[in-house]
Amino acid sequence: HDAYDVALQQIIGPEEWNYTKLGDVEVLARRQLSPSDAATSFAVFGGLKLPTGTKNVTNGDGARAERTLQPGTGTTDLIVGVAARRAVGLRDALIGQASVTSALNKNEDFRPGTRTEISAGWSHAYSQSLGAVLQLNLRHRQHDSGDQAEPDNSGFTTLALSPGVTFATGSASTVYAYLQLPVYQKVNGIQLVPRNALALGWTTDF
């Protein structure tokens, strides 16, 4: 069987997937538990990862990509987390947060593994509007489950260094951008892993 697969790959060449699609969108709410001007402050946050990403990407031959390669999981996931900030002087702060994301349902006999994320870092304010952030992001995902899952080729642990910038667009709104550079990657089986990633976002207070 293995020899047949190797011979087949030599005949048809490597398989490639190239697509640009919207992934699953996360909607989060955050509750500050301490005064914003406190030296040490805490917050809780939570929300949902919505099934907005497509799960029907196909290649030129019409073959559907494996579920782990699809931009979306097709599931609605619950996200809960905590965050903390410790001021160091007038312009600097130590920051950290932890969160857990777990699917609330299956989709087509597929359930993504529960994901745990822990971040810790430092932030510096250059002005009232412009800031810089440097973080370490640890992410662990358990094996996927279900008849359409590939448990042996799912689940990972990664550590990334993430420099970023923040820019206040008003008294209550901030846009941010992070470049995530992998420092350590351990995956189960055969999976796609990024050389680097760019994260863009926007937050606002109510």
Side-chain angles (χ1 to χ4, degrees), residues 117-141:
E117 299 184 56
I118 301 175
S119 300
W122 159 86
S123 66
H124 176 77
Y126 291 102
S127 67
Q128 291 185 343
S129 300
L130 181 63
V133 180
L134 182 64
Q135 292 187 92
L136 275 175
N137 305 115
L138 177 65
R139 177 180 296 181
H140 173 75
R141 176 167 164 170

Side-chain angles (χ1 to χ4, degrees), residues 5-205:
D5 288 343
V6 172
L8 187 61
Q9 289 180 6
Q10 291 175 343
I11 294 173
I12 65 175
E15 186 176 0
E16 294 184 0
W17 298 88
N18 186 9
Y19 52 83
T20 301
K21 299 288 185 178
L22 176 68
D24 291 338
V25 173
E26 294 182 358
V27 179
L28 301 175
R30 179 183 175 108
R31 173 68 175 177
Q32 195 74 23
L33 302 179
S34 310
S36 58
D37 58 351
T40 302
S41 59
F42 298 93
V44 294
F45 62 91
L48 297 174
K49 181 192 74 64
L50 304 176
T52 56
T54 180
K55 57 184 190 302
N56 297 309
V57 168
T58 59
N59 62 11
D61 297 326
R64 186 182 180 187
E66 291 85 351
R67 291 300 296 270
T68 54
L69 299 181
Q70 296 289 345
T73 65
T75 61
T76 299
D77 297 11
L78 176 67
I79 305 170
V80 293
V82 295
R85 180 182 185 276
R86 172 66 179 178
V88 181
L90 297 178
R91 293 179 175 269
D92 297 276
L94 300 176
I95 54 176
Q97 71 175 40
S99 66
V100 176
T101 302
S102 183
L104 298 175
N105 63 305
K106 288 186 178 180
N107 180 268
E108 296 180 351
D109 292 319
F110 175 81
R111 181 188 178 97
T114 297
R115 189 174 76 238
T116 302
E117 299 184 56
I118 301 175
S119 300
W122 159 86
S123 66
H124 176 77
Y126 291 102
S127 67
Q128 291 185 343
S129 300
L130 181 63
V133 180
L134 182 64
Q135 292 187 92
L136 275 175
N137 305 115
L138 177 65
R139 177 180 296 181
H140 173 75
R141 176 167 164 170
Q142 298 177 356
H143 294 278
D144 301 333
S145 60
D147 292 342
Q148 296 298 317
E150 296 184 57
D152 292 340
N153 292 322
S154 64
F156 58 80
T157 301
T158 63
L159 179 67
L161 181 66
S162 303
V165 294
T166 61
F167 186 78
T169 56
S171 59
S173 298
T174 302
V175 294
Y176 61 85
Y178 292 94
L179 179 61
Q180 297 179 332
L181 306 171
V183 176
Y184 170 80
Q185 294 178 321
K186 179 182 179 182
V187 301
N188 300 314
I190 300 173
Q191 299 185 48
L192 291 177
V193 293
R195 292 189 179 93
N196 51 66
L198 178 63
L200 304 174
W202 169 72
T203 64
T204 187
D205 297 334

